[in-house]
Amino acid sequence: MERTALDRRSFLALTGVSAGAVALGVAAPERAMAATTAPDGVFGLGVASGAPTPDGVVLWTRLAPEPLAPDGHGGMRLRPTAVRWEVAEDELFRRPVRRGTAVASPELAHSVHPQVRGLRPGREYFYRFRVGAQLSPVGRTRTAPEPGAVPARMSIATASCQAWYEGHYSAYRHMAAQDLDLVVFLGDYIYEYGLGAGVVVRQGAPALGSEHAAEIETLAQYRLRYGLFKSDPHLQAAHAAAPWLVTWDDHEVQNNYADEYSGYGIPPELFVYRRAAAYRAHYENLPLPVAALPVGPDGTVHSATDWGRLARVELLDVRQHRDAPPNTPEEQADPARTMLGAAQEQWLHGALRTSRAAWDVIGSGVVVTPVGERFVDQWDGYPAARQRLLKAMAGAANPVVVSGDIHRHYAAEVPSDPVDPTSAPAAVELVTSSIASGRDGAQHDGPEDEWMEAPNARLWDGRRGYVRLDLTPEQLVSEFVVVPYIQADDRAQGVVAARFVTEAGRPTLEREV
Ligand code: FE
Ligand code: CA
């Protein structure tokens, strides 16, 4: 893919930040002058952690006393601010184990991403930040078990699609009360659409100014959109409850984009600027490691996370490197067509081949199971690439696909031969519904018949919610949590609408509830 219009150096020059300053998250010459105080309410976007390893974790906060300040800077003055962080074994910080100072700079929207090391494997930790006399809420996190260990169990929640304006994050309130090892976010953390009159159906939401009315495209607008979505207390609670792994799908940039190709006719040489702004704001707002810091329009969000030998989580980027939608059936069937790009595909095949885990949890923003050729935005639009994915998954002991995007819960056994839905299953796929996209929803809705027609389909539920996975060496229990409504208020209670058991060595979904 040629990118002559925008090389890395010219992008960095345009944004006025040196590569070194961006990598460190500090503006080096100004460090000595970093402010040590900030306006009240500086932790208005909460705290988060992510990317757990056996000896550490990434912590995150973004200083924003006014998350809806129209310039996207959250009410902060445009100068560096010192942020102290500490990690302890207990919630009251009587047994502190690590501390440090990070500098929140305006170049990164006053976000900090300290990489904590030197922690013990397989342990629970607590963390908090301090600016001046202001203390942040306390977050809870976990380190991964030591390599080679076989933990008795592990709990993961998967989530996607959180259109703030379509309802309350009641599903996150339920999730935040669970005892989870990991949250895996599968895309559509924000939506880029203009939020003009009639779009916001979340009752009780603050009135939004005209700065929210148009589709977003600048860095300031993307930052403001994250500020809006992240102002929700239940999303903040879910971040504070467990470490997250995060990938993106399309709406973090623009609906249905593919690599440099906007689905709305924006020329690639202009669209890459928008992608650069969008990726930058994404990094600023999530607990991602420094390796994920985008360079111009290029970002790295795919990752592999080991939970001892119980699970390896392979999280994919299905947007940045994919080929554009096909114009003809011949093009769709082209064996050279790619969803992941050559480098990520090779990385994934290696991760699956070398995995010694009982379970490989493969996170894909879009659905893998064959539904129909017209679903060209999903893996159905990339049949040759899916064939290669299935072949690589066959090398793993127990592949489990977790995905999202369709705003419904859906469960299926992925057929080993995608053109024959009665062929032996190659994996199970657990598709999480949206947190908020699609408004209240209903258990049974429009597209259900088409999706449930195939004999390998096991569940459809059009209500909002998330999926919980409980893994042991012997089995996977998957629960599909739903909330009955989200528009009126945030009080709806989560309930388990369906539960399946998958025994190790047998990729089927046996329904219990
Ligand atoms: Fe979505
Ligand atoms: Ca999507």
Side-chain angles (χ1 to χ4, degrees):
M1 204 69 50
E2 279 194 86
R3 216 168 253 137
T4 48
L6 182 67
D7 66 30
R8 284 154 198 250
R9 198 184 333 199
S10 64
F11 174 82
L12 290 166
L14 278 167
T15 56
V17 187
S18 76
V22 171
L24 294 168
V26 299
E30 293 161 290
R31 183 171 188 145
M33 299 187 296
T36 53
T37 61
D40 284 352
V42 75
F43 296 108
L45 296 176
V47 301
S49 70
T53 60
D55 77 333
V57 70
V58 173
L59 306 181
W60 172 93
T61 193
R62 176 183 160 204
L63 307 182
E66 294 170 48
L68 302 189
D71 67 357
H73 280 287
M76 291 294 290
R77 281 161 292 179
L78 300 189
R79 56 173 179 162
T81 302
V83 183
R84 296 169 65 194
W85 55 266
E86 62 180 320
V87 177
E89 289 176 349
D90 66 305
E91 215 163 346
L92 297 174
F93 293 83
R94 288 188 179 128
R95 299 195 303 278
V97 290
R98 285 286 179 277
R99 63 163 60 95
T101 301
V103 175
S105 73
E107 288 82 359
L108 288 170
H110 291 96
S111 63
V112 292
H113 300 73
Q115 171 71 60
V116 183
R117 295 193 197 286
L119 303 180
R120 291 200 272 171
R123 296 280 299 239
E124 179 180 63
Y125 288 97
F126 298 87
Y127 61 94
R128 65 186 175 189
F129 299 90
R130 183 195 301 265
V131 172
Q134 297 186 66
L135 269 180
S136 77
V138 174
R140 171 196 169 274
T141 192
R142 288 197 74 86
T143 49
E146 71 185 308
V150 185
R153 55 178 36 84
M154 172 188 197
S155 302
I156 303 175
T158 66
S160 74
C161 297
Q162 47 188 35
W164 176 93
Y165 46 90
E166 300 211 316
H168 293 270
Y169 292 167
S170 314
Y172 276 139
R173 203 196 61 237
H174 189 272
M175 185 194 291
Q178 310 297 308
D179 186 17
L180 298 169
D181 293 300
L182 265 184
V183 175
V184 177
F185 191 83
L186 294 162
D188 293 358
Y189 195 94
I190 59 162
Y191 284 78
E192 78 283 12
Y193 299 125
L195 303 182
V199 178
V200 180
V201 299
R202 171 193 269 235
Q203 304 294 305
L208 299 181
S210 59
E211 63 274 17
H212 299 272
E215 178 167 329
I216 58 175
E217 48 188 329
T218 68
L219 181 55
Q221 289 172 318
Y222 280 105
R223 285 170 167 166
L224 175 56
R225 189 56 59 91
Y226 280 96
L228 176 65
F229 282 38
K230 292 180 77 77
S231 62
D232 183 281
H234 306 308
L235 173 58
Q236 292 185 15
H239 272 299
W244 284 40
L245 301 177
V246 180
T247 190
W248 51 42
D249 191 29
D250 51 340
H251 288 286
E252 282 85 351
V253 182
Q254 189 188 39
N255 183 41
N256 287 356
Y257 84 97
D259 193 351
E260 302 178 322
Y261 301 99
S262 158
Y264 297 82
I266 302 171
E269 62 269 28
L270 292 180
F271 188 67
V272 288
Y273 282 89
R274 178 158 167 185
R275 202 177 90 176
Y279 283 5
R280 175 76 161 269
H282 180 263
Y283 172 79
E284 289 170 352
N285 283 281
L286 287 157
L288 291 163
V290 71
L293 178 71
V295 178
D298 303 318
T300 308
V301 292
H302 67 268
S303 64
T305 302
D306 283 328
W307 218 254
R309 287 181 60 180
L310 180 56
R312 172 173 281 184
V313 181
E314 288 104 344
L315 192 53
L316 307 181
D317 173 351
V318 297
R319 281 293 156 191
Q320 185 177 190
H321 308 291
R322 64 158 69 190
D323 284 330
N327 294 305
T328 63
E330 294 70 38
E331 209 180 300
Q332 191 164 347
D334 183 348
R337 233 172 125 60
T338 185
M339 175 66 108
L340 303 176
Q344 186 184 187
E345 194 169 308
Q346 203 173 16
W347 163 84
L348 174 63
H349 293 183
L352 288 166
R353 195 174 52 241
T354 59
S355 174
R356 294 159 70 213
W359 302 90
D360 281 85
V361 179
I362 299 144
S364 165
V366 294
V367 172
V368 170
T369 298
V371 182
E373 281 173 11
R374 68 183 181 84
F375 292 90
V376 294
D377 192 63
Q378 303 175 178
W379 284 83
D380 273 328
Y382 303 78
R386 179 168 56 200
Q387 205 62 58
R388 298 193 296 273
L389 173 67
L390 290 172
K391 195 175 162 204
M393 287 196 319
N398 290 288
V400 175
V401 179
V402 292
S403 60
D405 177 54
I406 61 171
H407 305 174
R408 276 89 173 180
H409 282 322
Y410 178 68
E413 295 167 3
V414 186
S416 49
D417 177 359
V419 298
D420 177 8
T422 66
S423 59
V428 296
E429 180 164 11
L430 313 168
V431 185
T432 185
S433 186
S434 59
I435 293 292
S437 311
R439 306 184 174 188
D440 286 343
Q443 185 174 4
H444 301 286
D445 67 342
E448 180 172 359
D449 292 347
E450 185 175 9
W451 283 72
M452 292 303 290
E453 197 184 294
N456 56 303
R458 293 286 174 273
L459 174 75
W460 177 271
D461 195 312
R463 291 172 289 187
R464 310 284 73 84
Y466 71 93
V467 176
R468 178 186 171 125
L469 291 74
D470 284 284
L471 295 159
T472 69
E474 293 79 35
Q475 65 174 21
L476 154 68
V477 176
S478 49
E479 290 186 330
F480 290 77
V481 176
V482 300
V483 288
Y485 69 90
I486 62 165
Q487 289 175 231
D489 59 47
D490 65 351
R491 293 196 289 266
Q493 297 297 313
V495 293
V496 175
R499 179 187 299 127
F500 295 93
V501 175
T502 301
E503 302 290 345
R506 203 167 170 275
T508 60
L509 292 162
E510 310 300 336
R511 188 154 181 175
E512 281 202 331
V513 172

